[in-house]
Amino acid sequence: MKKHNFSAGPSILPQEVFQKASEAVIDFNGSGLSILEISHRSKDFVAVIEEARALVKQLMNIGDDYEVLFLQGGASLQFAMLPYNLLSINGKASYLDTGTWASGAIKEAKKVGNVEVIASSKDKNYTYIPKNYTIDSSSDYFHCTSNNTIYGTQMKDFPETSVPIVCDMSSDIFSRKVDFSKFGLIYAGMQKNIGPAGATMVVLKKELLGKTGRGNIPTYFDYQAHISKESMLNTPPVFSIYTSLLNLQWLVRNGGIEAAEQRNRAKAYLLYEEIDRNPLFEGLCEKEDRSLMNVSFTITDETKKEAFDNAWKEAGINGLNGHRSVGGYRASLYNALPIESVQVLVDVMKSF
């Protein structure tokens, strides 16, 4: 039976990416060696990481004033790396609190320096995106989370400000058109729309570095150290980066971000339409802030929950359970998920 993978992450990737990656595990580039055993400093892998970096810049339409890094530690490590590099000793950073990962970033940044939470949606369990907040122009940076995987909300636009915007785009990177040049720094765990688990992408404006007055940044936390070593300060996650390259190539071949957004909007519209039409289901978030990537909903009649759970599992659907902190259901519609899989879920919902 065909599986329909709605997992929030590590997420679905294109089948052709899996095929090419599996071939490289046996024999990479006809070398007789596996991608898992080649040197990260070999000519073959240097070509991989350089092409991956170039494709990121191409998709984002950014120039050489930006640097692309492939690191480890997940987006969670960036919660601390970021303030070490951008938050000055006597300065402050402004943060928008829109969910679990945003509050995690706030917690870590407070260990480094002065943080102001300028708006929060915690009062309604993060079911909306705050609006009409003011960013202090003296802030070293403004931090936001573009898409909230757990709660299913998404920022539809970003503020106009002279303050450098820093954004955690882990769960909606490359899913929709964004003016990436508006951002001073973007970071993303790569296990959603970029590749498999094990690597994190950081895209930053180089001019922002070296202004904090901190002279004792731990070496691994120092972006400049990673830039100088071209993401090879230590052994990088070779297989994750290679598979991410395959996925970036797939995205470019299939129309880039603009085409991906069209497909993602069609998938989200199909599912939200059924949630709003069917009295057995109810969305968890404010409609204007609903995510295109993570659709969170609940069942209104608990007596039918067991039957519904059995039905979607029998249909080959995987990863539909909501996050443990929210409950209900969560359908993640990442780039590689075909609309046919969404139709299978909608058909199951209609049967109730």
Side-chain angles (χ1 to χ4, degrees):
M1 174 185 289
K2 175 179 172 57
K3 289 291 186 178
H4 306 280
N5 187 5
F6 289 88
S7 174
S11 69
I12 185 172
L13 291 172
Q15 287 300 310
E16 63 188 78
V17 169
F18 289 137
Q19 180 62 38
K20 291 180 180 178
S22 65
E23 292 169 0
V25 168
I26 303 301
D27 186 348
F28 178 56
N29 282 357
S31 65
L33 297 173
S34 168
I35 184 66
L36 302 178
E37 64 180 340
I38 66 167
S39 168
H40 62 288
R41 300 191 184 281
S42 67
K43 182 174 68 175
D44 281 345
F45 182 70
V46 169
V48 166
I49 201 168
E50 288 181 350
E51 184 180 355
R53 188 181 293 117
L55 286 180
V56 168
K57 287 188 175 183
Q58 176 185 327
L59 287 163
M60 289 186 164
N61 193 27
I62 54 175
D64 290 337
D65 52 333
Y66 283 87
E67 186 68 44
V68 178
L69 297 173
F70 297 108
L71 307 177
Q72 297 170 72
S76 297
L77 180 59
Q78 297 309 308
F79 296 167
M81 285 185 71
L82 166 64
Y84 266 111
N85 286 269
L86 298 189
L87 179 53
S88 58
I89 292 175
N90 297 315
K92 72 173 180 181
S94 295
Y95 276 70
L96 187 65
D97 178 23
T98 54
T100 297
W101 306 117
S103 60
I106 291 166
K107 179 182 177 181
E108 294 303 308
K110 284 182 175 180
K111 296 176 182 178
V112 180
N114 185 23
V115 169
E116 179 184 11
V117 180
I118 60 174
S120 174
S121 53
K122 188 177 182 179
D123 60 327
K124 293 186 178 179
N125 198 31
Y126 299 119
T127 55
Y128 70 99
I129 299 292
K131 316 288 192 309
N132 302 317
Y133 48 83
T134 300
I135 302 170
D136 189 333
S137 61
S138 67
S139 300
D140 289 326
Y141 63 87
F142 163 71
H143 179 283
C144 58
T145 305
S146 58
N147 186 74
N148 298 286
T149 324
I150 293 174
Y151 304 93
T153 60
Q154 186 176 41
M155 296 179 71
K156 302 305 179 183
D157 48 43
F158 298 91
E160 296 294 333
T161 177
S162 60
V163 175
I165 301 175
V166 172
C167 190
D168 177 357
M169 291 191 180
S170 292
S171 54
D172 67 347
I173 188 77
F174 298 145
S175 68
R176 56 175 174 158
K177 290 189 296 180
V178 174
D179 182 359
F180 293 103
S181 67
K182 290 181 62 172
F183 298 87
L185 187 148
I186 293 165
Y187 64 94
M190 292 167 65
Q191 69 276 11
K192 313 285 188 180
N193 275 332
I194 307 178
T200 304
M201 184 181 76
V202 176
V203 179
L204 73 158
K205 244 179 188 173
K206 289 179 281 189
E207 67 180 22
L208 296 180
L209 300 179
K211 299 178 181 180
T212 65
R214 300 181 191 279
N216 59 343
I217 302 177
T219 302
Y220 195 86
F221 277 43
D222 189 347
Y223 288 136
Q224 192 59 60
H226 291 283
I227 291 172
S228 66
K229 297 296 184 179
E230 299 182 321
S231 298
M232 295 190 192
L233 181 65
N234 63 328
T235 304
V238 171
F239 184 69
S240 293
I241 294 171
Y242 172 68
T243 309
S244 297
L245 170 61
L246 297 179
N247 194 48
L248 292 168
Q249 292 171 337
W250 173 86
L251 181 58
V252 170
R253 285 197 305 272
N254 286 273
I257 296 175
E258 184 172 1
E261 180 176 5
Q262 293 175 356
R263 295 190 294 268
N264 292 332
R265 288 192 179 279
K267 291 182 289 186
Y269 176 81
L270 178 62
L271 183 50
Y272 282 125
E273 184 181 43
E274 178 60 22
I275 290 170
D276 293 338
R277 182 203 69 82
N278 193 326
L280 187 61
F281 302 101
E282 183 178 22
L284 293 177
C285 304
E286 294 292 333
K287 289 185 178 181
E288 66 179 359
D289 298 322
R290 283 173 165 177
S291 170
L292 297 180
M293 290 285 92
N294 307 103
V295 178
S296 295
F297 61 100
T298 188
I299 193 164
T300 58
D301 184 350
E302 284 293 322
T303 66
K304 295 184 178 181
K305 185 179 187 307
E306 183 177 356
F308 177 61
D309 290 348
N310 290 335
W312 60 260
K313 290 173 183 176
E314 289 172 2
I317 291 171
N318 175 72
L320 196 62
N321 287 322
H323 190 272
R324 59 187 178 276
S325 65
V326 176
Y329 302 95
R330 173 177 54 176
S332 296
L333 314 180
Y334 298 121
N335 283 350
L337 183 78
I339 196 168
E340 291 77 14
S341 291
V342 182
Q343 187 65 59
V344 170
L345 173 57
V346 167
D347 288 344
V348 171
M349 296 168 74
K350 284 182 175 180
S351 71
F352 282 79

